[in-house]
Each structure stands twice: as C-alpha cells, then as structure tokens.
Amino acid sequence: MHHIHSSPRLTLRNSSLRMEFPSINGENKHYGTPRNPCAPDRVPGGSSSGSAVAVGAMLVDFSLGTDTGGSVRVPASYCGILGFRPSHNAVSTVGVIPMAQSFDTVGWFAREPSVLKQVGCVLLELPDEDPIRPSQIIIPRDCFQLLSIPTERLTQALVRSVEKLHGGGDIIKHSVLGDYVRDNVPALSSFRSEINEDHVNNIPSLAALSSAMRLLQRYEFKNNHKEWVSAVNPDLGPGISDRVREALQTTEENIDVCRSVKKEFHAALTSLLGDFGILAIPTVPGPPPKLQTDSSALEVFRAKAFSLLSIAGVSGFCQVSIPMGLHDNLPISISLLAKRGADGFLLDLVETLYESLKEQIAIAEKSA
C-alpha cells in the first residue's frame, strides 16, 4: 500500500480486504453490527460497514472497502459520507480474496472530497491536471422515481449547484434511462422476459440488468468458493446462506449472454455519456432501513437498490456516492457516474461541486 505523503495527519482504518457476498444491510450475527453514527437505529450498510462507520464516526479520515454489488456505495449512503467505487480494474485486487472477478473493486470512504481525491491520486496514480467541465449531466427521471422520498429533494440541489458553478443549466439533460437501455442492449431480452413489464416498483430493463449481473456473480462465486463451502459448511448469517446455496446451484446456462450484456451495456453507456458526461442517479432508493427489519419486507427496496447499483457494476464505470444531508433526520445521497477510466475527472468534479451542494442542501433542509 502506498502512503499519502502530502498529508501525514490522515489516518487509515487498517483492515484486511475481502470480497463478501452481497449483503447491503451490514448486520452481522457473528460479531455484532457496527453502529451507524448517522442513525443508530438504522442499518449501516454492507458489507464494508465497519470501514464506513469508522469514517462516519470520525475515528479515521478515510478507509478502504470492497465493492462488488454495492458494498462501498451503500454504506457510504447510509452513513452520510462519501464513497467511491473506481472503474473496474483501476485499482489492483491482488491479495484480495475474490468474490466475482467481473465486478470486484477496491474502493474507499472519506468525509471530505479533498481527502477522497488524495486517496484516489495515490491508489489510481493520477496525474496532476486541471479539472475538466462536464459536457453534460444526465438526470434520468425514471431512476429518481424509484425513490421513497420526494425526487426534488436530491435533484434540485444538484441542478442549482451546476447552474451556479457553470453559469446556467445548459449541460443538464433529463432522460429516461430504462428506455435507452432497452433499445441499446439487445442481449438483455432473455432476462427481460423474466420481468413483469407492468411492475410499478421497478424499471424493467434495469431489473433485467440486475438479474444478468446476479447470475454472472453467482456463477463466478461458485467457481471461486464451491470447494471451500462444501468442505467447511460454514455457519452463514440469515439471507447470506440462501444466496450462497443459490450460487452453488448455478449452471453455465446464459453465462455467455451475461457477458454479452456486459459488453453491450458498456458500449451503450459509453455512447450515452461520451468522454466527459455524467450520469446522476440515486445511490439507493431511500434512507437506511431499520435494524432487524424482516428480509421479506425489504424485498422491493432491495430489488430497486440493485437495479441502481448494477449500472456501474455491469458497465465497469466509476461511481461516487455523495451525502445530501438528512430527510426526516435520516441520511440520503446522490451518485454521479463517469465512463470507465474517468476516475480523476469524477473526483475533481466532486471536489468542485461539494461546497455548492452543501449550501443548497442547507437551504432545502431549512425550507422543508
């Protein structure tokens, strides 16, 4: 691991990195659940919950975490801090126990965008360059309709900050991402047939994208860990044991289609954003759920969450989760995505936007 020489006061949570089977709650029956410093009666987010809580509780300035299905982005959102999932393969995973290599990443948490960028400069070996103005910021209205809170609570602060910094909202573009994905990722058709097109609780093409990601993830998990699970028969937590069992039963059927989905979706999203476009989406569908909520009660929330989280997962794009203050005293967030390899551009943009966003959030909270 490199050291950050420019700021000797930065402290890092010293934790081993391992990819964990998707559990976006962070509840742990073996060692206890880390306490969410933003909302003690709510889940901290998983699986890198300890790393997120350490930053949110101001025990350290930054920490590392792994993100396969959302394990940095979700706890960042739930704990009210910044979380960065880098472009796939941008940060080496050598020495990290793999979960699903097509999606595994090593990301990080921070409270301040300057620290988030410093960590990125080291891990990504970024050159020192002037920030680049985004060519467009796409706000897909269908993704924001998945929220359990008013859409404007997130979008207005972003729009007003961009208008303030860039002298007008000419770079803001509103769209419907689900339709674009449906029309430009033909390999998804076999997964879309499993989705109820009239289902009001999700976006059919993104639900299909999530299904393709989960299938390939389960297949790779099985190849990585079937021998160990079969030999050891580990005592797994509720929910996790069911998903591991499903993974071990996965066959090669449709795996080639999953890989085609990845290729087509990457090309489609690259075409949509271009070199310096940004996609803005909710990180998750709403504030963190209560501790010990029954898993069946979270089924719709979880499905929506993975539809949103699969966008960066399948494309390999970089994503940052940005805290957007509180709604009903619970942390909420927005995410910005940039094309694969544009990590430095995205980190610069967060640093540029952050103060203005904080001002707009304060205004929104006062008028709420």
Side-chain angles (χ1 to χ4, degrees), residues 54-190:
V55 171
M58 294 188 282
L59 301 175
V60 295
D61 297 298
F62 73 97
S63 62
L64 303 178
T66 53
D67 189 313
T68 299
S71 296
V72 164
R73 293 163 288 168
V74 174
S77 179
Y78 287 177
C79 294
I81 59 175
L82 293 155
F84 196 86
R85 174 192 166 101
S87 298
H88 190 250
N89 284 337
V91 177
S92 173
T93 57
V94 172
V96 180
I97 297 173
M99 192 276 199
Q101 291 91 328
S102 291
F103 309 105
D104 292 345
T105 63
V106 174
W108 58 97
F109 303 94
R111 291 184 304 277
E112 299 297 332
S114 58
V115 176
L116 194 79
K117 182 182 174 183
Q118 277 183 281
V119 176
C121 285
V122 173
L123 292 178
L124 299 162
E125 299 181 353
L126 296 174
D128 187 14
E129 296 178 339
D130 292 332
I132 298 172
R133 181 181 189 262
S135 56
Q136 59 178 340
I137 296 178
I138 297 174
I139 301 177
R141 64 178 68 92
D142 54 340
C143 290
F144 282 91
Q145 286 168 355
L146 297 179
L147 282 168
S148 61
I149 64 171
T151 296
E152 298 76 15
R153 180 63 185 80
L154 293 182
T155 57
Q156 283 186 0
L158 176 64
V159 169
R160 288 170 179 166
S161 295
V162 171
E163 289 174 345
K164 179 180 177 181
L165 289 168
H166 297 293
D170 58 301
I171 64 172
I172 297 286
K173 312 290 182 187
H174 296 275
S175 70
V176 179
L177 184 63
D179 290 354
Y180 179 82
V181 173
R182 179 196 64 206
D183 296 341
N184 290 277
V185 188
L188 270 180
S189 58
S190 60

Side-chain angles (χ1 to χ4, degrees), residues 248-259:
L248 297 187
Q249 295 170 354
T250 304
T251 68
E252 291 190 9
E253 185 181 1
N254 275 335
I255 295 303
D256 286 343
V257 181
C258 291
R259 294 183 175 126

Side-chain angles (χ1 to χ4, degrees), residues 2 46 51 53 84 188 214 226 287 297 304 307-308 317 340 356:
H2 297 277
S51 295
V53 166
F84 196 86
L188 270 180
R214 285 200 313 274
K226 180 180 180 180
K304 290 180 182 180
S307 287
L308 295 167
F317 281 27
R340 186 170 177 173
S356 179

Side-chain angles (χ1 to χ4, degrees), residues 214-220 222-223 243-253 255:
R214 285 200 313 274
L215 177 57
L216 183 53
Q217 193 177 65
R218 289 196 298 263
Y219 178 73
E220 292 184 346
K222 173 186 175 181
N223 289 342
R243 290 193 283 278
V244 168
R245 193 178 306 112
E246 287 176 9
L248 297 187
Q249 295 170 354
T250 304
T251 68
E252 291 190 9
E253 185 181 1
I255 295 303

Side-chain angles (χ1 to χ4, degrees), residues 24-25 36 38-39 43-46 73-80 284 286-289 301 331:
I24 58 174
N25 285 351
N36 186 331
C38 239
V43 298
R73 293 163 288 168
V74 174
S77 179
Y78 287 177
C79 294
V284 285
F301 183 93

